Amino acid sequence: MARCGDHDGCCDGESHTKNIDLGFKYSLYMRIDKENVECLNESVEGAGKKIFKAWEERKDNSKYVESDVDEELLFNIPFTGNVKLKGFIVRGGMENTHPSIVRLFKDKPNMTFDDTSAKADQEIELVQDNEGTVEYPTKVVHFSSIHHLSLHFPKNFGASKSVIYYIGLSGEWTPAHRHGVTICTYEAVPSISDHKTSTLDSVSREIQ
């Protein structure tokens, strides 16, 4: 009986299990508010939001984003709840179009390139990953409860434009508690004289 390492394909069972695990692990794309994803400097409008897809579709080259006037790309990614971001995968293009650095910002909606001069919450050097299997861990302490993520790719490996086919996000998602809570003052025995001109006052506030 062949053992792992004896020949190619002997570990298909183990590989299949790993694929299932990674597919489940990188399912956070389903918790992205896709309609409101924004990609700055994309050459085709709306292309950026299409690269947030299932891990099994990461090699689908029909869906990709290419930068426009230079190599920079900036993604504004809102979530449908609170997210504990644990890691990510970036599958970029060939021939040096793959981004070489990513800068992560938490809870800064509507970022522009002017805002990227600020210090990032985390900055990571990327490798050229044409398979979409290299995982990058995040500093979970910085991303333990976020509702928005911005990804800034300032440069690539030397090409004039950048190409990204897939961005996978892993982590935990919980519903956002956005319902208002009304705080009222009640009287055990109301007095008519106290209510000649007004009713009970109430104060409402939204819990984020």
Side-chain angles (χ1 to χ4, degrees), residues 154-175:
K155 60 182 181 178
N156 55 31
F157 285 91
S160 60
K161 295 186 178 183
S162 295
V163 174
I164 301 177
Y165 290 104
Y166 169 76
I167 294 178
L169 303 174
S170 71
E172 301 172 6
W173 175 91
T174 55

Side-chain angles (χ1 to χ4, degrees), residues 23-24 26-34 52 80 173:
F24 179 78
Y26 285 90
S27 61
L28 202 56
Y29 73 96
M30 294 187 293
R31 303 302 186 180
I32 294 174
D33 181 3
K34 286 282 192 71
F52 297 95
T80 59
W173 175 91

Side-chain angles (χ1 to χ4, degrees), residues 21 26-27 30 33 59 88 95 104 107-108 112 122 138 151 168-170 182-183 207:
D21 290 343
Y26 285 90
S27 61
M30 294 187 293
D33 181 3
K59 293 186 179 182
F88 62 93
E95 298 177 355
L104 289 74
D107 295 334
K108 295 185 181 295
T112 67
Q122 186 170 358
T138 61
L151 298 176
L169 303 174
S170 71
T182 302
I183 303 173
I207 298 178

